């Protein structure tokens, strides 16, 4: 072997431990599975571009749709989201330049109804409600299901965020696309349609709850003979309905102030024509609020009446117990007297003493029973 070959072999032998040491000291390279981003389901239900109230064909990405909408005066983007995650909502917020506080509210549910202004963008939140069908109202029945609808309204876009299934917005979009003259009003026309649907569902809910209240009234004041423990169950059903009505009340009453602000013209961005539509929605809401307050008073009255009824039933039971105790006292007193161990007692040596005493106790018990029956104690 020549000197050059020996030198080459020595270099390769020296290079192997160097490469091994380099692999040990260098950070591990990410695997393909770790490097690949995790696939997450998108919360975007629909994204569409509208020009003069007409939906433009094709599948649009919200960034591309926003760019196209800004090129037309009467164009806007409608992005519908269902319970978005923080990462996806952050990407949308960066594209549409949404305020971070509003974005934080959109990710979390159970927001109080409000209308807030952030620069050129308006943020509106509403509580939604849906009546849950049930065969019979029990102490654990769910009567009202609630959720949230939040809207980001800008000059060329509206983003609707829905939490829960109390009010679905897909039919709202389909109905608006058939009413092009309304949809041509821009993002605020969509906001009106969403608010109108939310309030219309509330009208249906309060009508259904009114039927439940009528059923509860009939059950509370119906005869309860032969139904052991039924009175307590009725009180629990009334209280459960009261709790469900309170949950519905928290969704309806706070919505008055935001809608009143839109109707009164506190936001100059709302077109005058769309404001008239909001006025109609507000009228429906006012009637719903009046019905809710009325039903709340009725349930309170039913609950108080049922508690008074239970007290009366308890008093009747105590009177019956006292009456039977009075009858038993006759036997106890006579037996107590003749049970004393004395030699000189009247009628102890009489042949008819025992039958006479028994007859006396029976006659006295019969007279007391008749008296208690006539007085209503038995």
């Amino acid at each position: 072997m020549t000197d050059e070959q020996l030198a080459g072999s020595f270099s390769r032998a020296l290079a192997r431990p160097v490469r091994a040491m380099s692999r040990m000291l260098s950070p591990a390279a990410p695997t393909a599975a770790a490097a690949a981003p995790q696939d997450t389901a998108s919360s975007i239900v629909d994204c569409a571009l509208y020009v003069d109230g007409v939906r433009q064909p094709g599948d649009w990405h919200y960034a591309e749709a926003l760019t196209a909408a800004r090129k037309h005066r009467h164009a806007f983007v409608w992005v519908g989201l269902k319970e978005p995650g923080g990462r996806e909502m952050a990407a949308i917020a960066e594209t549409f330049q949404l305020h971070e506080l509003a974005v934080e509210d959109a990710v979390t549910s159970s927001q109080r109804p409000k209308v807030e202004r952030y620069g050129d963008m308006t943020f509106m939140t509403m509580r939604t409600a849906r009546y849950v069908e049930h065969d019979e109202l029990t102490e654990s029945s769910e009567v009202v299901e609630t959720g949230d609808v939040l809207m980001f309204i800008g000059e060329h876009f509206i983003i609707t965020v829905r939490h829960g299934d109390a009010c679905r917005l897909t039919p709202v979009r389909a109905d608006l696309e058939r009413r092009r003259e309304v949809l041509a009003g821009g993002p605020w026309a969509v906001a009106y349609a969403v608010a109108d649907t939310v309030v219309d569902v509330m009208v249906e809910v309060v009508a259904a709850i009114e039927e439940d209240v009528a059923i509860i009234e009939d059950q509370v004041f119906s005869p309860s003979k032969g139904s052991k423990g039924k009175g307590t169950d009725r009180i629990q059903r009334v209280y459960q309905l009261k709790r469900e009505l309170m949950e519905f009340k928290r969704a309806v009453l706070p919505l008055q102030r935001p809608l009143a602000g839109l109707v009164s013209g506190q936001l100059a961005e709302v077109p005058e024509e769309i404001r008239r539509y909001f006025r109609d929605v507000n009228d429906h809401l006012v009637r719903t609020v009046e019905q809710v307050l009325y039903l709340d008073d009725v349930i309170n009255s039913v609950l108080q009446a049922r508690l008074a009824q239970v007290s009366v039933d308890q008093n009747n039971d105590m009177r019956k117990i006292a009456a039977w105790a009075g009858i038993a006292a006759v036997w106890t007193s006579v037996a107590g007297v003749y049970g004393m161990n004395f030699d000189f007692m009247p009628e102890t040596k009489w042949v008819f003493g025992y039958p006479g005493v028994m007859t006396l106790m029976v006659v006295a018990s019969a007279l007391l029973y008749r008296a208690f029956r006539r007085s209503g104690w038995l």
Side-chain angles (χ1 to χ4, degrees), residues 78-349:
W78 182 0
V79 181
L81 304 175
K82 169 71 185 315
E83 298 177 358
R87 182 175 301 179
E88 185 173 19
M89 196 65 209
I92 295 175
E94 184 178 358
T95 301
F96 290 90
Q97 298 299 307
L98 306 179
H99 197 276
E100 58 180 354
L101 295 178
V103 173
E104 182 180 355
D105 290 343
V107 175
T108 59
S109 59
S110 302
Q111 298 296 323
R112 183 177 177 84
K114 59 184 178 180
V115 175
E116 294 181 342
R117 187 70 179 171
Y118 295 97
D120 297 333
M121 185 268 298
T122 303
F123 180 60
M124 182 175 181
T125 67
M126 293 181 294
R127 294 281 290 167
T128 59
R130 181 179 69 89
Y131 182 76
V132 180
E133 297 290 341
H134 48 270
D135 296 332
E136 182 182 3
L137 183 65
T138 64
E139 59 271 13
S140 59
S141 297
E142 183 182 10
V143 179
V144 179
E145 177 187 353
T146 57
D148 296 272
V149 169
L150 308 95
M151 293 182 286
F152 299 88
I153 309 168
E155 182 180 1
H156 292 285
F157 67 88
I158 179 169
I159 302 172
T160 56
V161 182
R162 177 168 61 92
H163 290 273
D165 296 323
C167 183
R168 300 179 181 272
L169 301 182
T170 301
V172 179
R173 186 187 290 264
D175 181 67
L176 271 180
E177 290 178 354
R178 290 190 295 267
R179 301 167 60 190
R180 296 181 177 179
E181 68 283 357
V182 178
L183 193 56
W188 279 105
V190 177
Y192 144 72
V194 173
D196 184 50
T197 302
V198 170
V199 174
D200 285 346
V201 175
M202 289 180 176
V203 173
E204 298 174 0
V205 172
V206 76
I209 294 179
E210 189 172 6
E211 296 180 3
D212 283 338
V213 172
I215 294 174
I216 282 292
E217 283 184 293
D218 294 339
Q219 291 178 351
V220 165
F221 298 108
S222 64
S224 57
K225 295 181 179 180
S227 55
K228 185 177 181 181
K230 197 171 182 180
T232 305
D233 293 341
R234 289 175 179 175
I235 293 178
Q236 291 176 349
R237 288 198 292 268
V238 174
Y239 184 68
Q240 176 65 17
L241 185 59
K242 170 72 174 178
R243 289 183 59 185
E244 294 294 314
L245 182 63
M246 290 301 296
E247 182 178 358
F248 180 59
K249 189 176 179 180
R250 286 195 295 268
V252 176
L253 267 62
L255 187 57
Q256 297 178 96
R257 186 174 181 180
L259 280 182
L262 294 176
V263 170
S264 61
Q266 293 181 3
L267 292 179
E269 294 76 13
V270 183
E272 182 62 30
E273 183 65 25
I274 302 301
R275 193 174 300 155
R276 297 192 185 98
Y277 285 106
F278 273 114
R279 188 174 296 114
D280 180 69
V281 176
N282 189 57
D283 291 340
H284 293 171
L285 180 65
V286 169
R287 290 198 297 269
T288 303
V289 169
E290 292 175 353
Q291 286 181 282
V292 169
L293 296 178
Y294 165 73
L295 293 178
D296 191 26
D297 291 338
V298 170
I299 292 181
N300 288 335
S301 300
V302 170
L303 187 59
Q304 294 298 325
R306 183 53 193 162
L307 292 175
Q309 195 176 48
V310 170
S311 299
V312 171
D313 293 340
Q314 290 176 347
N315 291 335
N316 292 334
D317 294 338
M318 292 301 298
R319 289 195 302 178
K320 291 180 181 179
I321 295 173
W324 286 112
I327 295 174
V330 175
W331 293 71
T332 303
S333 60
V334 174
V337 170
Y338 280 91
M340 294 186 293
N341 297 322
F342 290 103
D343 293 333
F344 303 99
M345 292 186 67
E347 288 87 26
T348 55
K349 304 299 182 179

